[in-house]
Amino acid sequence: MQTRAIFCFKRLCFHLLLSCMIFFFGKVNSQTTIPCDDAFYLITSSTGGSVLQKLNHDRINNQVNAKTIDLSEPRRRITCLGYSVNDQLLYALDFDTYELLQIDGLGKIKNLGIPPNLDTRMQYFAGHVAAQGRTLVVIGRDPATQTDKIIFTIGLRAPYLASSQALISDLPVALTDLATHPFLGVVYCFDSKAKRFGTIVNGLVSTHRYPTVPEYITSLYLDRNGNLYGYGNLVGDSGAETHFAIDRQNGKMVALGLGIQGKDSDGCSCPYSLDFDMKIIPSEVLPCSEITIEYTFFNQTGANWQDLVFRDSLPAGITITAIEKNSANLSTVQGGIGSSLFRLINMNLILESNTIRLKAWVDELPPGKYSAQAVLKNLPKLYGNPLVSDNLLTAEPRDSAFFTVIEPKSLKLNSKLRFSCNGDTAFVEAPLEALSYQWSDGSTGKTLVTTRSGRYSLLAKTACLDYTDTIEIAQRPPALNLEIEAPARLESGDRSILRYTSNAQGVGTLTWSASTGLNLSCSDCAQPELNALSSGSLYLTLRNAQGCAVRDSVQIEVIPVRKVFIPNVFSPNSDQHNDVFFIQGRDGGQILRWRIKDRWGNVVFEKKDVAINDAAQGWDGMVRGQALSAGTFFYEVEVEFPDGEKQRFRGEVKLVR
């Protein structure tokens, strides 16, 4: 008995020890993934090793905030950094040993060995992970000529084989980094020899469309909006310490601030996203009617995807009648027309927008809410595998699309009544799609059109029900009216808030306009401010929610004031008070000629065609760079007022020191 107890105790201890070992080594070997959150990752390296930073661009203040991630092997010189959407980890090469490295979110480095077939006689500076996350693409440089010669594509699954293709360029290039645009799929690069940006397509480097820049860029990365950023130097041909925002159209750069200094750097980001929306319209239907189901894919992953599987199983009683649009037209359709199942296999998803649109028939279903949600499979886990559709018509994330089958009695003709703009004609539209319409006046169209008051009824027949309702058309709406509320007379330069009155039920748009000399603060607001400089007409056009328009106008008489203020003393002593002698006026205007003389008749200041109230055009008491002594000076000025009237003024001004 004692022996058995000892055996059980030992077995318990063994299992506890084994569990602890599994837990411990599981923790040791686990990796922390890196979220695809539009952040940038930057490696700066020197002879002493490398530093990894996570960068976030503060777009409000237009600056970059950095957080250092401690590397488990900081002595390595790391190059060709890239982000993989497959496992959400960073990949890179060791510049000195050519080993393929895997880096997790805590900076832990895993050595994957030297990729078979990688040419270790080359040097590698530029690289990135391709948009589908399956390969690390690196550019091989001949150390003797310092010219890039070859492209290696390294698989990111064991045995990490490297395959090669020639790098093609009209001129010798030395690329520093690569970055893929999320929705164009274009690979951008920087050539350190020509100091130009460029693009790479199928191994062909093209830099001719970009001008030479004084800056030197060692790292490139993009955000989810397709904006290009870089890290490098303001001047010179080496080193990295400055963050840049880059115009990818013309290569012009704006410095965003300084970072960690390094002999070299490499950067990457995850600017990718994939949205999958679904909507069903109309949202309310009767039994035995048609709906439209639309799926939209916004592919901003930088790559086209193949061999995907799409599936949507519609509620029982919903039958697909037509495939109106299918951007993935090379896919194989399973189910489809005549079925409630729509499935695509071997589906291709191209960059940017992809749409599938179905027509479906709603059978004689009981009233209630019916929902569906589609799925997309065989994507990297980052995007969701499966990725489920999101209802485009709601604010809730990743919710099902739905429609509601309603009872016929909930549809009322009263809600469909409208009148012509002059009020003499009534229009009543049937609130449902039907096979036939029979109005009590004998008309058989979907919309009743009548100029007579009275009671009207409708019988509409669908495939499975008869709809009836009655409407009384009695009181006609009054004619649309509008009146501008504005003062009839103002002094030149006066300001006034304009208003209007109208019997419009629901205003669609307002459009204000005015003659020259009547200046409005806005043209489409309810209460613009008027700045009256000369007489003229004021106009307002109102268009109601139904689209009917009405117009009003008023005449505004503006009484010219023509007043100016010319100081008789000024003190140019740099105390920010009365330092400049200039002409002022409430109404503005133009100074045609202005001359100032000293007591002996010498001209000390002269200006032509300058604006009233512009202190920058005034006299600061200087002549030819020399400050004049205190004294009395004499001016002659000719002013043209806003209404075209011209006046001359003469007088004296004292300069006080």
Side-chain angles (χ1 to χ4, degrees):
M1 187 73 177
Q2 184 178 4
T3 303
R4 185 174 181 182
I6 293 172
F7 172 78
C8 291
F9 177 76
K10 287 183 176 180
R11 188 168 67 174
L12 176 62
C13 291
F14 172 78
H15 282 294
L16 287 173
L17 178 61
L18 182 62
S19 298
C20 290
M21 291 175 65
I22 292 173
F23 176 81
F24 175 76
F25 286 109
K27 286 288 186 181
V28 169
N29 292 325
S30 66
Q31 291 177 303
T32 301
T33 57
I34 299 171
C36 184
D37 56 3
D38 213 21
F40 309 144
Y41 292 88
L42 177 70
I43 285 275
T44 50
S45 59
S46 61
T47 54
S50 300
V51 176
L52 174 62
Q53 289 185 307
K54 180 179 180 178
L55 310 178
N56 288 289
H57 182 201
D58 180 353
R59 291 171 177 81
I60 296 176
N61 299 309
N62 204 26
Q63 64 184 24
V64 175
N65 301 316
K67 178 183 178 182
T68 299
I69 300 174
D70 294 329
L71 292 171
S72 62
E73 300 177 43
R75 302 297 296 175
R76 289 182 180 271
R77 288 199 297 168
I78 297 174
T79 185
C80 301
L81 187 70
Y83 180 96
S84 172
V85 297
N86 267 342
D87 53 18
Q88 295 178 259
L89 298 171
L90 301 179
Y91 287 86
L93 286 181
D94 186 306
F95 184 82
D96 300 304
T97 67
Y98 301 96
E99 292 164 323
L100 177 64
L101 307 177
Q102 185 187 71
I103 308 172
D104 74 358
L106 298 179
K108 180 183 175 183
I109 295 177
K110 182 178 180 180
N111 183 0
L112 303 177
I114 300 175
N117 302 330
L118 183 68
D119 191 342
T120 56
R121 296 169 299 175
M122 295 285 181
Q123 292 179 329
Y124 298 93
F125 294 90
H128 73 145
V129 172
Q132 290 189 336
R134 300 168 185 163
T135 56
L136 177 67
V137 180
V138 298
I139 309 295
R141 182 174 302 173
D142 184 344
T145 62
Q146 285 298 297
T147 300
D148 292 339
K149 297 291 187 182
I150 193 167
I151 302 174
F152 280 95
T153 301
I154 304 169
L156 296 183
R157 289 185 179 180
Y160 311 111
L161 288 173
S163 59
S164 64
Q165 71 176 104
L167 182 74
I168 305 170
S169 177
D170 292 339
L171 298 171
V173 295
L175 307 182
T176 58
D177 202 8
L178 311 175
T180 302
H181 195 282
F183 38 92
L184 299 179
V186 175
V187 178
Y188 292 95
C189 60
F190 183 80
D191 176 20
S192 61
K193 282 186 178 291
K195 298 189 75 173
R196 287 181 175 181
F197 290 96
T199 57
I200 302 179
V201 179
N202 297 325
L204 175 63
V205 179
S206 176
T207 62
H208 65 275
R209 59 171 287 198
Y210 291 95
T212 299
V213 295
E215 298 88 351
Y216 180 80
I217 298 298
T218 57
S219 302
L220 293 174
Y221 29 83
L222 292 113
D223 67 11
R224 284 184 178 167
N225 296 320
N227 299 312
L228 184 62
Y229 297 88
Y231 194 69
N233 259 343
L234 286 167
V235 293
D237 297 321
S238 64
E241 63 178 11
T242 305
H243 301 282
F244 294 96
I246 304 166
D247 188 325
R248 56 184 176 82
Q249 301 297 329
N250 56 33
K252 292 182 179 179
M253 286 179 270
V254 176
L256 301 179
L258 296 177
I260 293 179
Q261 189 173 17
K263 182 179 179 182
D264 207 345
S265 74
D266 211 324
C268 68
S269 61
C270 181
Y272 309 124
S273 63
L274 178 58
D275 293 323
F276 177 18
D277 295 329
M278 176 180 176
K279 66 179 179 180
I280 301 176
I281 50 177
S283 59
E284 293 183 339
V285 297
L286 290 169
C288 303
S289 56
E290 192 176 56
I291 58 174
T292 299
I293 307 168
E294 186 169 285
Y295 313 91
T296 306
F297 309 86
F298 295 98
N299 179 9
Q300 297 185 357
T301 66
N304 299 324
W305 297 91
Q306 298 176 335
D307 300 326
L308 304 181
V309 176
F310 169 87
R311 187 180 190 277
D312 192 8
S313 182
L314 302 174
I318 310 299
T319 305
I320 298 169
T321 58
I323 303 173
E324 282 197 338
K325 185 175 182 179
N326 182 9
S327 296
N329 52 14
L330 298 179
S331 309
T332 302
V333 178
Q334 294 182 342
I337 296 175
S339 167
S340 61
L341 173 68
F342 187 72
R343 188 170 186 261
L344 298 177
I345 59 174
N346 302 320
M347 177 182 174
N348 297 328
L349 197 63
I350 61 174
L351 282 168
E352 297 202 72
S353 181
N354 302 254
T355 301
I356 298 172
R357 187 182 306 116
L358 309 178
K359 290 288 187 181
W361 182 256
V362 179
D363 292 340
E364 195 171 353
L365 296 176
K369 182 178 177 180
Y370 297 83
S371 61
Q373 190 166 38
V375 296
L376 188 63
K377 297 182 179 180
N378 293 352
L379 287 164
K381 186 178 179 181
L382 169 68
Y383 302 122
N385 193 16
L387 175 64
V388 296
S389 62
D390 178 43
N391 187 354
L392 187 62
L393 304 180
T394 68
E396 294 296 321
R398 298 293 164 213
D399 59 333
S400 301
F402 63 87
F403 66 95
T404 303
V405 175
I406 59 176
E407 296 188 39
K409 63 182 181 181
S410 65
L411 300 176
K412 297 297 181 183
L413 289 177
N414 284 333
S415 65
K416 297 294 184 178
L417 173 64
R418 61 184 179 86
F419 290 91
S420 60
C421 292
N422 60 12
D424 64 354
T425 304
F427 303 87
V428 185
E429 183 183 5
L432 76 166
E433 295 293 333
L435 299 176
S436 65
Y437 305 93
Q438 184 64 56
W439 295 90
S440 56
D441 70 342
S443 58
T444 57
K446 184 179 180 181
T447 301
L448 169 72
V449 181
T450 181
T451 58
R452 303 176 63 180
S453 300
R455 180 182 292 270
Y456 294 85
S457 61
L458 168 66
L459 170 62
K461 291 180 176 290
T462 72
C464 59
L465 60 86
D466 291 348
Y467 168 84
T468 60
D469 194 20
T470 301
I471 185 172
E472 184 77 32
I473 302 176
Q475 186 176 1
R476 306 280 171 161
L480 198 60
N481 62 48
L482 174 67
E483 183 177 354
I484 297 173
E485 295 181 354
R489 178 177 295 181
L490 292 168
E491 286 190 348
S492 177
D494 280 351
R495 295 177 181 270
S496 177
I497 299 297
L498 303 177
R499 294 176 174 83
Y500 72 92
T501 57
S502 175
N503 65 347
Q505 299 297 313
V507 176
T509 60
L510 292 168
T511 305
W512 295 87
S513 60
S515 305
T516 302
L518 296 178
N519 299 324
L520 299 170
S521 62
C522 58
S523 62
D524 57 357
C525 57
Q527 297 182 358
E529 183 182 60
L530 171 67
N531 180 15
L533 300 178
S534 60
S535 299
S537 299
L538 187 66
Y539 307 93
L540 173 61
T541 300
L542 180 150
R543 193 174 296 275
N544 67 9
Q546 188 179 328
C548 300
V550 62
R551 195 169 192 248
D552 189 30
S553 64
V554 294
Q555 288 293 120
I556 306 290
E557 181 184 0
V558 178
I559 303 170
V561 177
R562 304 187 188 121
K563 292 179 180 178
V564 294
F565 170 68
I566 304 177
N568 57 12
V569 64
F570 76 113
S571 55
N573 53 11
S574 301
D575 64 353
Q576 307 299 316
H577 178 69
N578 203 24
D579 285 333
V580 178
F581 173 52
F582 66 102
I583 312 300
Q584 302 166 51
R586 190 189 71 171
D587 304 334
Q590 193 80 358
I591 299 173
L592 302 179
R593 284 177 291 276
W594 184 12
R595 180 178 292 175
I596 302 174
K597 299 179 181 179
D598 62 17
R599 65 176 61 234
W600 296 281
N602 300 312
V603 176
V604 297
F605 177 82
E606 188 170 17
K607 281 287 177 80
K608 293 182 179 180
D609 297 321
V610 297
I612 288 178
N613 296 322
D614 189 352
Q617 300 296 331
W619 183 39
D620 59 1
M622 307 284 286
V623 59
R624 291 184 290 277
Q626 299 294 321
L628 295 181
S629 301
T632 301
F633 296 84
F634 305 89
Y635 62 81
E636 297 176 357
V637 60
E638 183 179 9
V639 174
E640 182 178 15
F641 292 97
D643 63 353
E645 181 73 15
K646 298 177 183 178
Q647 288 188 17
R648 292 183 179 180
F649 301 90
R650 290 185 175 88
E652 61 182 49
V653 61
K654 289 185 179 180
L655 188 158
V656 179
R657 292 289 182 184

